[in-house]
Amino acid sequence: MIASAIVRNIRDIVGAEYVLDSDLDRFGYSYDASFVPLFPANLPDLVVRPLTTGQVSQVMKLANEHNIPVTPRGAASGRTGGSIPLQGGISLSLERMNKVIELDEKNMMITVEAGVLTGDIYNLCARKGLFYPPDPASYKFSTIGGNIAEDAGGMRAVKYGVTHNFVMGLEVVLADGTVIHTGGKSIKNVTGYNLTQLFTGSEGTLGVVTKAILRLIPMPKYRNTLQLIFSSLDGACATIHQMLQSGVVPASAELMDRTCLNAISRNRKMEFPEKAEACIVTEVDGAEEYEIKKQAEQIEAIARKNDVIELRVAKTAQEADEIWAIRRALSPAVGALAPDRVSEDISVPRNEFPEIVRQIRQIAGKYNLAFAVYGHAGDGNLHPSILCDMSDPEQAPRVHAAVEEIFAATLALGGTLSGEHGIGITKQHYIKDALSEAGVNTLKAVKQSLDPKGILNPGKMW
Amino acid sequence: MIASAIVRNIRDIVGAEYVLDSDLDRFGYSYDASFVPLFPANLPDLVVRPLTTGQVSQVMKLANEHNIPVTPRGAASGRTGGSIPLQGGISLSLERMNKVIELDEKNMMITVEAGVLTGDIYNLCARKGLFYPPDPASYKFSTIGGNIAEDAGGMRAVKYGVTHNFVMGLEVVLADGTVIHTGGKSIKNVTGYNLTQLFTGSEGTLGVVTKAILRLIPMPKYRNTLQLIFSSLDGACATIHQMLQSGVVPASAELMDRTCLNAISRNRKMEFPEKAEACIVTEVDGAEEYEIKKQAEQIEAIARKNDVIELRVAKTAQEADEIWAIRRALSPAVGALAPDRVSEDISVPRNEFPEIVRQIRQIAGKYNLAFAVYGHAGDGNLHPSILCDMSDPEQAPRVHAAVEEIFAATLALGGTLSGEHGIGITKQHYIKDALSEAGVNTLKAVKQSLDPKGILNPGKMW
């Protein structure tokens, strides 16, 4: 409970209509897109929706003085519980800070407030021939602030990188309300520590990102999409591996296994060949038409050596959209296959991708669990999903054991717990396995230095 | 002075022959390639040259227990005093840690110890068709550890980025001797804060980098070099600006003004046209021969519109080397023009490059000082050098005033104090102008959290 005098203060700062405390509103801000249980609800005491950096600063100052937990929040589309207010206090929603401040075409940079939708940034830039590549599956409804907090990835990472590769500078409100600016529009900038990259991916635990300067690149003039269907998962894995080794760098290369194809068949009433065991959707792009033609031919030649049974090259933009629609619909389609889905976000060195897929299938067999395996095969980031019923007391322990084995296998191959979703609540139990006790202590020391009272997004990451 | 019992301990850890304390040795480790005065000498009490991470860890543990300052050091080729031991104590030289641990061709990554020369990394990778792009002017004799500490840039940043864009993971010994590992070979990795990027560019103040995993890219199959001579500096600036706006991204684009050309003429006994006021050396590269041909033609067409008076396209690799030799010899040639050279490392948003060049020339005129202006024009990073005699009591104040005005002009254009050399000693006086008091306090808080006793490279950055 926040003392009523403080609540009055906050209403004065942001305007009474932007401070919510009804049970219904508080419930609405208690969850995100992760698999963290809804009940018992993690209710904030207060939902605060500031419009300006100045308001965020004043709210943080008050919260810090009175030891009130603050959980920053974008669109709550995160998959690891990052925006869930675990200890009550304030849910600080940045959704009203949705202004595009400047599109600087000459320097190919855009400056935006944290609440702008990533998809809106993409579209605005695209109209000027500029390209903001990071494309988390949620990009149409997630905010750039949330993307920065989680260092969101996406399908284009294999060629273009993830969110942090495009963040040039930030405006951040620290725990005590201090406003700082990091980085800037200079391409080379080594003045002080790289706080821009420290805050990016810090999951709202070190400061509240209120503005960002993002780097853009010229929009590739040509792109094309290929859909390849294989009679074996090994053939699909080998195709991706050989493609990358041969120097073909696609804009994205997505893998789906048989279970995924079944889910899509059911969900979208479409047919795959009976023998289909895996599917790759890949996009090539470039500044010249012949370039993408050449890449498509190279991919085709490699696939032919690896059990491909159907190969479709999009002839029109509409066909390309159709192929991508399959991939984008995958997550809900898989989710519909079972009462629960425990989905992971492991990432391995690229050459270990076929090996981790093999090991995951072994683990599935060992624990007699149904798995759907899909992910960004081009960059080694995989989302194995266990299709299960966690309310079944016989199944749940097997699921937990399988998840632990997947993490152990991933780390043994030099991989990591999270490629693009963050640690949040759902993976905090395992972070020491990945970073060691000393590594986690280092994170804690940094956290302590920037948020000595521990009010920012408490209870997360470790 | 370090107590003799502790010195004995250190000798036991690293071997007596690798602990130096003669006056001559201590003097040899008292300076770097910056313009920090040699006298009075900044002598370390002890020079320690460990061979292993374990030894570094033990030395740090001792130093931390006994509050002994430790200044890490690579090849001491830094330009801002980063490796100068300002408070005595230990000069910790990583030069013996020079092993290449692994060249992982499949994942296109190399793992090296901190003391490996950057040029050796480049050559080793090049023999396998792989490319480590960052090329600070010192790359043949600077170490990768030093490059990481300073986040070194170079000429290829315009297309490929700087050191931090290629650092995937680090082994770091913290102030208290704890060894941690950050990042790794997974392309996507959001497990915990991005400590890899926090340590990169931290100038040896947060930890001692002992190993690094670096990302590589395929070596471009084709490259070519162009030398363009202009009858006006404005024409040269306009050419670079228009080139980038048109979408031509050269691998590098270097600018030199008339003073630079004079220095080279004198130093290398070569002639430039009488009307020459500026020169651009630029390299284009790509996977296809026609690509680089097309880029060269585009550059040529733009230059023709902007007062170009001589245009040379290298016909052979030897000719390309000859052109680059001019640029690489520039810094010593300029240095020979006057008793002192006060050289800066400012960086501005790319589109402000012509404007900052104009303002620098105005400042030179206002203070009646000779300037040489050169730099990485393609990425907005400029090295204006004031040719002066700092022992002249009439000149020195004018030089200081001019430097302050250059910094002020740079910051007013949204630029920064240092593009690639770091802050160290030589720019610490100005860091608050760039980052604000609150920004610098944030750096100090992070420093305090990782090095509570302040033993790591004390006296630097702020």
Side-chain angles (χ1 to χ4, degrees), chain A residues 104-108 150-151 153-155 157 162 164-165 174 178-181 184-195 197-203 205-206 218 241 244-245 247 288 290-291 294 345 347-352 376 378-381 414-423 431 434-436 438-439 442-447 449-450 461-462, chain B residues 104-108 150-151 153-155 157 162 164-165 174 178-181 184-195 197-203 205-206 218 241 244-245 247 288 290-291 294 345 347-352 376 378-381 414-423 431 434-436 438-439 442-447 449-450 461-462:
Chain A
D104 176 351
E105 291 181 64
K106 286 191 176 169
N107 285 304
M108 296 201 286
E150 303 294 324
D151 193 6
M155 305 204 270
V162 297
H164 82 253
N165 298 109
L174 300 179
T178 303
V179 181
I180 63 167
H181 293 87
K185 285 191 194 173
S186 301
I187 293 176
K188 284 179 174 167
N189 186 342
V190 293
T191 302
Y193 305 145
N194 195 341
L195 297 183
Q197 296 300 332
L198 178 63
F199 286 111
T200 302
S202 66
E203 306 191 8
T205 65
L206 299 182
H241 187 62
L244 295 166
Q245 287 300 313
E288 305 283 346
Y290 91 91
E291 255 183 73
K294 187 176 161 187
D345 170 41
S347 184
V348 293
R350 253 166 30 168
N351 76 316
E352 302 293 2
H376 315 300
D379 57 46
N381 179 205
T416 191
L417 296 183
S418 178
E420 56 183 15
H421 293 170
I423 300 299
I431 191 168
L435 300 183
S436 84
T442 310
L443 303 187
K444 288 180 181 174
V446 172
K447 162 75 175 177
S449 72
L450 296 181
M461 206 181 274
W462 50 72
Chain B
D104 176 351
E105 291 180 64
K106 285 191 176 168
N107 285 305
M108 296 201 286
E150 302 295 325
D151 193 6
M155 305 204 270
V162 298
H164 82 253
N165 298 109
L174 300 178
T178 303
V179 181
I180 63 167
H181 293 87
K185 284 192 194 172
S186 301
I187 293 176
K188 282 179 175 168
N189 185 343
V190 294
T191 301
Y193 305 146
N194 195 339
L195 297 183
Q197 296 300 332
L198 178 64
F199 285 110
T200 301
S202 66
E203 305 191 8
T205 65
L206 299 182
H241 187 61
L244 295 166
Q245 287 300 312
E288 305 282 346
Y290 90 90
E291 254 183 75
K294 185 176 161 188
D345 170 41
S347 185
V348 293
R350 252 163 38 166
N351 77 316
E352 301 293 2
H376 314 299
D379 58 45
N381 179 206
T416 190
L417 297 182
S418 178
E420 55 183 15
H421 294 170
I423 300 298
I431 191 168
L435 300 184
S436 84
T442 310
L443 303 187
K444 287 180 182 174
V446 172
K447 162 76 174 174
S449 72
L450 295 182
M461 206 182 275
W462 48 73

Side-chain angles (χ1 to χ4, degrees), chain B residues 295-368:
Chain B
Q295 287 180 60
E297 285 166 4
Q298 285 175 289
I299 293 171
E300 192 171 335
I302 293 166
R304 296 258 175 245
K305 286 187 241 160
N306 288 297
D307 305 332
V308 75
I309 54 177
E310 199 181 286
L311 196 146
R312 181 178 169 201
V313 182
K315 299 263 179 319
T316 62
Q318 197 197 328
E319 254 189 89
D321 284 347
E322 279 168 29
I323 295 175
W324 277 115
I326 294 170
R327 171 61 184 87
R328 293 216 177 264
L330 181 60
S331 183
V334 166
L337 289 176
D340 291 301
R341 168 179 47 163
V342 174
S343 183
E344 287 311 332
D345 170 41
I346 56 169
S347 185
V348 293
R350 252 163 38 166
N351 77 316
E352 301 293 2
F353 187 82
E355 178 59 25
I356 194 71
V357 169
R358 270 193 291 277
Q359 294 196 19
I360 287 170
R361 293 163 84 192
Q362 277 170 10
I363 294 167
K366 175 175 170 187
Y367 290 100
N368 191 25

Side-chain angles (χ1 to χ4, degrees), chain A residues 409-456:
Chain A
T410 302
L411 296 175
L413 291 173
T416 191
L417 296 183
S418 178
E420 56 183 15
H421 293 170
I423 300 299
I425 301 168
T426 61
K427 295 198 193 74
Q428 62 187 159
H429 177 58
Y430 304 98
I431 191 168
K432 279 187 190 162
D433 297 337
L435 300 183
S436 84
E437 178 104 26
V440 174
N441 286 341
T442 310
L443 303 187
K444 288 180 181 174
V446 172
K447 162 75 175 177
Q448 169 75 16
S449 72
L450 296 181
D451 178 19
K453 293 185 167 186
I455 61 164
L456 269 168

Side-chain angles (χ1 to χ4, degrees), chain B residues 45 78 127 129-130 135 138 140 157 164 205 217 236 241 256 260 270 284 299 331 388 398 404 421 449 457:
Chain B
D45 295 313
R127 283 199 291 274
L130 294 170
D135 62 340
S138 61
K140 286 187 183 169
H164 82 253
T205 65
I217 59 176
H241 187 61
M256 293 162 252
C260 295
M270 57 180 293
V284 290
I299 293 171
S331 183
C388 54
R398 278 190 286 132
E404 292 213 4
H421 294 170
S449 72
N457 208 0

Side-chain angles (χ1 to χ4, degrees), chain A residues 31-96:
Chain A
Y31 58 89
D32 69 357
S34 69
F35 307 104
V36 175
L38 283 181
F39 298 102
N42 293 293
L43 298 176
D45 295 313
L46 209 62
V47 175
V48 180
R49 304 170 68 230
L51 183 67
T52 68
T53 302
Q55 290 176 2
V56 174
S57 167
Q58 285 179 274
V59 170
M60 288 308 305
K61 191 162 181 288
L62 261 184
N64 197 51
E65 275 168 17
H66 300 285
N67 294 296
I68 301 166
V70 176
T71 303
R73 176 184 159 115
S77 54
R79 308 303 293 260
T80 54
S83 64
I84 294 178
L86 277 187
Q87 300 182 8
I90 293 171
S91 170
L92 187 72
S93 170
L94 282 295
E95 61 201 308
R96 291 175 65 226

Side-chain angles (χ1 to χ4, degrees), chain B residues 379-393:
Chain B
D379 58 45
N381 179 206
L382 198 68
H383 301 304
S385 295
I386 307 179
L387 308 167
C388 54
D389 180 353
M390 294 299 277
S391 67
D392 176 349

